[in-house]
Amino acid sequence: MDALHLPSAPRDLSRRRGFAQWAPLFLALSFVLTALTFARDARADARVPVQLQAQLVARLATFDRNFQARAGSVVNVLVVHLAGNPESTFEGANLAKALGELRDIAGVPARVDEAAFSDGASLATRCRDQHISIVYFAVGLEGEMTAVAKALAGVDVLTVGTAARHAENGAVVGFGLEEARPKIVLNLKQARAQNVAFKAELLKLARIVE
């Protein structure tokens, strides 16, 4: 199989301008290649591995036009698990660890915290008070997403779930497996409600729910 060759860096201003027009396409291609690299490992589990999810979220944030303004100088990430649910607690801890090992998210240093879920209203208050940029929901909270979505309407935050059902029920982003390959699921209605504006390049790669 022939190697994939990307254009070399432009050497003058006119070429740099031309390259800038193609940059979103190269970024989208990089996103797809990252997902396919981990696809073999994803087949072994019913869900996309959390290590892959952490890396995808770091790339996914670059497709949100409002992310830099939301994050500021530090990306505050809150990983939420369901209290009393061992699987949820275990997945939440692994996800927090994977996110904490990233050097940055969309080029911004990240700070990761973890908490047990209480209710949507308390979560919304914490997001506002602590300037949370990303809330990540572990398994077991899929059924809470409808109430959470109502509470977070009007809050400037990106919500992500470890399963497709999270997005189908009200998170902005979820991850699923289609033909043993990772698939991004986007809830555009909730994205608009939470001031998340994804670029068209990402929408072409995702499954959209409203």
Side-chain angles (χ1 to χ4, degrees):
M1 182 180 293
D2 295 336
L4 177 64
H5 297 286
L6 295 180
S8 58
R11 297 183 180 179
D12 55 46
L13 181 60
S14 61
R15 289 182 179 179
R16 281 197 295 270
R17 288 173 177 170
F19 183 81
Q21 295 176 353
W22 289 98
L25 178 59
F26 297 148
L27 186 58
L29 178 60
S30 175
F31 192 99
V32 173
L33 292 177
T34 298
L36 294 180
T37 299
F38 284 85
R40 182 177 180 181
D41 293 335
R43 295 189 188 103
D45 201 348
R47 292 190 298 276
V48 178
V50 294
Q51 292 83 1
L52 170 57
Q53 291 196 29
Q55 294 193 27
L56 290 180
V57 166
R59 290 178 179 270
L60 181 149
T62 65
F63 287 85
D64 176 10
R65 295 184 180 90
N66 300 328
F67 186 79
Q68 294 290 335
R70 177 184 309 117
S73 59
V74 178
V75 181
N76 289 310
V77 183
L78 179 63
V79 178
V80 183
H81 65 268
L82 181 62
N85 183 317
E87 183 182 8
S88 184
T89 301
F90 179 76
E91 184 177 78
N94 285 341
L95 184 57
K97 181 176 183 294
L99 290 166
E101 290 174 349
L102 298 176
R103 289 185 296 178
D104 60 70
I105 294 178
V108 183
R111 180 188 298 120
V112 182
D113 196 7
E114 187 180 358
F117 178 77
S118 55
D119 58 79
S122 298
L123 180 60
T125 297
R126 181 167 182 172
C127 288
R128 293 189 181 98
D129 292 348
Q130 299 182 8
H131 303 287
I132 304 296
S133 300
I134 301 174
V135 177
Y136 218 130
F137 299 99
V139 65
L141 289 168
E142 296 89 338
E144 303 289 343
M145 289 300 96
T146 300
V148 168
K150 292 180 180 178
L152 292 180
V155 180
D156 190 356
V157 64
L158 171 62
T159 48
V160 184
T162 59
R165 277 192 60 208
H166 286 100
E168 292 166 354
N169 292 352
V172 174
V173 179
F175 292 103
L177 290 176
E178 295 185 5
E179 297 181 351
R181 292 183 176 180
K183 187 69 175 182
I184 306 162
V185 183
L186 301 180
N187 188 319
L188 293 188
K189 179 180 179 181
Q190 195 61 30
R192 291 188 291 269
Q194 294 175 202
N195 195 38
V196 177
F198 288 122
K199 298 176 183 178
E201 291 81 8
L202 178 62
L203 303 185
K204 295 175 182 178
L205 302 175
R207 175 165 68 87
I208 306 299
V209 297
E210 289 281 3

mmCIF file of all heavy atoms in Angstrom, residues 4-10 19 22 26 29:
data_model
loop_
_atom_site.group_PDB
_atom_site.id
_atom_site.type_symbol
_atom_site.label_atom_id
_atom_site.label_comp_id
_atom_site.label_asym_id
_atom_site.label_seq_id
_atom_site.Cartn_x
_atom_site.Cartn_y
_atom_site.Cartn_z
ATOM 1 N N LEU A 4 0.828 7.470 2.716
ATOM 2 C CA LEU A 4 0.023 8.683 2.641
ATOM 3 C C LEU A 4 0.938 9.886 2.758
ATOM 4 O O LEU A 4 1.689 10.021 3.712
ATOM 5 C CB LEU A 4 -1.008 8.713 3.775
ATOM 6 C CG LEU A 4 -1.874 9.958 3.860
ATOM 7 C CD1 LEU A 4 -2.751 10.079 2.640
ATOM 8 C CD2 LEU A 4 -2.724 9.916 5.126
ATOM 9 N N HIS A 5 0.908 10.777 1.782
ATOM 10 C CA HIS A 5 1.772 11.948 1.786
ATOM 11 C C HIS A 5 0.922 13.198 1.935
ATOM 12 O O HIS A 5 0.009 13.445 1.143
ATOM 13 C CB HIS A 5 2.576 12.030 0.477
ATOM 14 C CG HIS A 5 3.514 10.889 0.274
ATOM 15 N ND1 HIS A 5 4.690 10.765 0.980
ATOM 16 C CD2 HIS A 5 3.432 9.806 -0.538
ATOM 17 C CE1 HIS A 5 5.318 9.656 0.592
ATOM 18 N NE2 HIS A 5 4.570 9.055 -0.319
ATOM 19 N N LEU A 6 1.231 13.984 2.963
ATOM 20 C CA LEU A 6 0.574 15.265 3.153
ATOM 21 C C LEU A 6 1.457 16.361 2.590
ATOM 22 O O LEU A 6 2.682 16.225 2.553
ATOM 23 C CB LEU A 6 0.320 15.520 4.640
ATOM 24 C CG LEU A 6 -0.645 14.551 5.296
ATOM 25 C CD1 LEU A 6 -0.798 14.907 6.764
ATOM 26 C CD2 LEU A 6 -1.982 14.538 4.603
ATOM 27 N N PRO A 7 0.881 17.473 2.154
ATOM 28 C CA PRO A 7 1.677 18.557 1.586
ATOM 29 C C PRO A 7 2.704 19.060 2.578
ATOM 30 O O PRO A 7 2.465 19.115 3.784
ATOM 31 C CB PRO A 7 0.624 19.639 1.289
ATOM 32 C CG PRO A 7 -0.663 18.899 1.183
ATOM 33 C CD PRO A 7 -0.549 17.755 2.143
ATOM 34 N N SER A 8 3.871 19.416 2.070
ATOM 35 C CA SER A 8 4.909 19.997 2.927
ATOM 36 C C SER A 8 4.525 21.407 3.313
ATOM 37 O O SER A 8 3.649 22.027 2.697
ATOM 38 C CB SER A 8 6.252 20.003 2.194
ATOM 39 O OG SER A 8 6.144 20.737 0.989
ATOM 40 N N ALA A 9 5.188 21.940 4.350
ATOM 41 C CA ALA A 9 4.872 23.271 4.839
ATOM 42 C C ALA A 9 5.139 24.309 3.762
ATOM 43 O O ALA A 9 6.150 24.265 3.059
ATOM 44 C CB ALA A 9 5.713 23.585 6.072
ATOM 45 N N PRO A 10 4.257 25.305 3.555
ATOM 46 C CA PRO A 10 4.437 26.339 2.537
ATOM 47 C C PRO A 10 5.615 27.229 2.879
ATOM 48 O O PRO A 10 5.931 27.456 4.032
ATOM 49 C CB PRO A 10 3.109 27.121 2.597
ATOM 50 C CG PRO A 10 2.585 26.867 3.950
ATOM 51 C CD PRO A 10 3.019 25.486 4.311
ATOM 52 N N PHE A 19 -2.604 27.012 2.219
ATOM 53 C CA PHE A 19 -2.554 25.910 3.186
ATOM 54 C C PHE A 19 -3.605 26.079 4.268
ATOM 55 O O PHE A 19 -4.228 25.107 4.703
ATOM 56 C CB PHE A 19 -1.155 25.850 3.805
ATOM 57 C CG PHE A 19 -0.974 24.710 4.762
ATOM 58 C CD1 PHE A 19 -0.713 23.435 4.301
ATOM 59 C CD2 PHE A 19 -1.070 24.919 6.128
ATOM 60 C CE1 PHE A 19 -0.542 22.387 5.164
ATOM 61 C CE2 PHE A 19 -0.902 23.869 7.006
ATOM 62 C CZ PHE A 19 -0.629 22.601 6.520
ATOM 63 N N TRP A 22 -6.884 24.629 3.570
ATOM 64 C CA TRP A 22 -6.962 23.168 3.636
ATOM 65 C C TRP A 22 -6.747 22.621 5.033
ATOM 66 O O TRP A 22 -6.979 21.443 5.269
ATOM 67 C CB TRP A 22 -5.920 22.549 2.692
ATOM 68 C CG TRP A 22 -6.265 22.740 1.259
ATOM 69 C CD1 TRP A 22 -5.794 23.702 0.415
ATOM 70 C CD2 TRP A 22 -7.176 21.962 0.470
ATOM 71 N NE1 TRP A 22 -6.343 23.571 -0.820
ATOM 72 C CE2 TRP A 22 -7.202 22.510 -0.830
ATOM 73 C CE3 TRP A 22 -7.972 20.842 0.758
ATOM 74 C CZ2 TRP A 22 -7.992 21.983 -1.838
ATOM 75 C CZ3 TRP A 22 -8.751 20.311 -0.255
ATOM 76 C CH2 TRP A 22 -8.758 20.885 -1.528
ATOM 77 N N PHE A 26 -7.118 18.647 6.756
ATOM 78 C CA PHE A 26 -6.036 17.844 7.309
ATOM 79 C C PHE A 26 -6.335 17.458 8.750
ATOM 80 O O PHE A 26 -6.030 16.361 9.199
ATOM 81 C CB PHE A 26 -4.721 18.615 7.243
ATOM 82 C CG PHE A 26 -4.265 18.929 5.846
ATOM 83 C CD1 PHE A 26 -3.553 20.083 5.578
ATOM 84 C CD2 PHE A 26 -4.565 18.068 4.795
ATOM 85 C CE1 PHE A 26 -3.138 20.369 4.292
ATOM 86 C CE2 PHE A 26 -4.156 18.354 3.504
ATOM 87 C CZ PHE A 26 -3.439 19.510 3.247
ATOM 88 N N LEU A 29 -8.825 14.683 8.728
ATOM 89 C CA LEU A 29 -8.168 13.442 8.329
ATOM 90 C C LEU A 29 -7.386 12.856 9.490
ATOM 91 O O LEU A 29 -7.416 11.643 9.737
ATOM 92 C CB LEU A 29 -7.238 13.712 7.148
ATOM 93 C CG LEU A 29 -6.422 12.504 6.641
ATOM 94 C CD1 LEU A 29 -7.345 11.392 6.183
ATOM 95 C CD2 LEU A 29 -5.500 12.940 5.515
#
